[in-house]
Amino acid sequence: MLDRRHVITSAMLGGLVSAFAPRMAFARAATAKRFVFIIQRGAADGLGTIGAAGDPAFAGARGDLAADFASGARLDGLFTLHPALATTAGLYARKQAVFAHAIASPYRDRSHFDGQNVLETGGATAYQVKDGWLNRLLDLLPADSARGIAVAATVPMALRGRREVASYAPSNLPDASDDLLQRVAMLYQGDAQLHGLWSEAMATRTLTSDLAAANGQNAAATGTLAARLIAPANGARIAMIETGGWDTHAGQRGRLAAQLKGLDAMIGALQVGLGPLWAQTMVLVATEFGRTVAVNGTGGTDHGTGASAMVLGGGVAGGRVIADWPGLGAGALYEGRGLRPTMALDAFIGGAVAAHFGVEPGHAMATLFPASARTLAIEGLVRTSPGRCGMN
């Protein structure tokens, strides 16, 4: 259960449902909007990403990990961004990024597997829900736009469900010759189903052929690959990118800086690769739970609770950090070790999605997070124009 701060935050955010509902219609016309979910597997350190440098307890609690924030981008009087996130800082300065802090899913234990399952399914507990919220998001889109893809070797849990989706990752195997590909195409010519599937696969291969050498390991190349998969008019509207390596139990300072530099490069590559479509795109970055406030004996942090999350994009009404800050004093910590969560991650995601796609917030929450029984939304995450609430 979240503490009284969650009640305060919920009251502040919940008013958006009734305020927006009368003026927003379900998304039914074909949409040019794109949505990308970047999952940080391993429990990324929210305090190491967005440091509460203005909290009096921050420097003492974080020790050597606090040093980097002397040179990071100052977001407001409390928060500073890690200096490795230079491109992200630029988006924030241009009001194209919103950060949320002291945020968490309903999960309160510290298993990566269970925490990731709750994050990806949108359930209140692990393995309660059998499909992913990102797959259910396709139900909110018009039929001719409801296409999803995972930039991964297999389809992650968040994208699994009744809606058919695809996955793509560059192969380590040698490229097949053009002659062999032509022969296979001729073999499938008379089969309506296989011919269509083969044609789609060859179209994807053409889009991504010069990125195959990266094998999905280079963060910038992965961002460029994702952009190419969602940019075409007949491409996917929903995409998910898996990132790992966020479990920084030891030597965190250097490891986290490298991870964040890669994430920053991926976001920058998405922006560049999408070009004008960046204005129609929202990128969500989230992790299964946070890490301990205190540093352990090996210069790392252990599994905690509250974390941080981001939404970025050309249509995001950004330039702000959303947080009901609980403080970092010893008495303020969750179970004496982690950042106390004061905001629900499912509400943050549901509100962002509703605003981005122009969907009634209560309907979006009921579809994406039915087990949580929350109907909250985040106010003003997407720029609005007169008469079109939540839309560009």
Side-chain angles (χ1 to χ4, degrees), residues 196-388:
L197 292 171
W198 181 258
S199 298
E200 289 179 13
M202 289 302 96
T204 300
R205 181 177 183 269
T206 300
L207 281 171
T208 61
S209 59
D210 63 324
L211 294 171
N215 290 322
Q217 300 301 310
N218 180 280
T222 302
T224 300
L225 171 62
R228 291 190 185 182
L229 292 171
I230 66 175
N234 63 346
R237 291 294 181 266
I238 306 297
M240 180 172 174
I241 302 175
E242 293 185 297
T243 67
W246 299 97
D247 197 16
T248 51
H249 284 284
Q252 175 171 309
R253 188 175 179 188
R255 289 178 59 196
L256 184 62
Q259 288 288 118
L260 293 174
K261 185 176 181 180
L263 175 64
D264 196 61
M266 183 182 292
I267 292 168
L270 272 169
Q271 179 191 12
V272 171
L274 288 170
L277 287 171
W278 178 249
Q280 304 287 331
T281 302
M282 176 178 281
V283 179
L284 165 72
V285 182
T287 192
E288 66 262 32
F289 48 75
R291 307 194 72 82
T292 54
V293 173
V295 183
N296 63 28
T298 59
T301 55
D302 299 316
H303 297 178
T305 309
S308 63
M310 313 177 189
V311 289
L312 315 101
V316 172
R320 56 201 171 113
V321 182
I322 301 174
D324 179 19
W325 191 243
L328 297 177
L333 302 185
Y334 183 78
E335 296 184 344
R337 58 184 281 156
L339 176 63
R340 184 176 296 278
T342 58
M343 185 183 300
L345 180 57
D346 50 11
F348 181 75
I349 296 172
V353 166
H356 184 57
F357 286 108
V359 179
E360 192 274 316
H363 180 59
M365 286 297 298
T367 301
L368 303 183
F369 305 105
S372 72
R374 296 187 180 101
T375 55
L376 308 178
I378 305 297
E379 183 174 8
L381 277 177
V382 174
R383 302 184 200 281
T384 60
S385 56
R388 300 185 67 198

Side-chain angles (χ1 to χ4, degrees), residues 25 67 71 82 144 172 186 191 269 299 318 363 367 387:
S71 59
H82 192 285
D144 57 354
N172 290 318
M186 292 173 64
D191 188 307
H363 180 59
T367 301

Side-chain angles (χ1 to χ4, degrees), residues 162-186:
R162 70 180 189 87
R163 291 280 187 167
E164 184 175 333
V165 299
S167 65
Y168 179 84
S171 173
N172 290 318
L173 297 174
D175 285 341
S177 68
D178 290 339
D179 180 64
L180 176 60
L181 295 177
Q182 181 64 29
R183 288 175 182 272
V184 174
M186 292 173 64

Side-chain angles (χ1 to χ4, degrees), residues 8 10 54 64 95 105 108 119 149 154 203 226 231 248 253 257 279-280 282 298 302 307 332 357 366 377 380 390:
I8 296 170
S10 299
D64 188 50
K95 300 189 184 303
S105 78
R108 288 294 173 271
L119 171 60
I149 192 165
T154 59
T248 51
R253 188 175 179 188
Q280 304 287 331
M282 176 178 281
T298 59
D302 299 316
F357 286 108

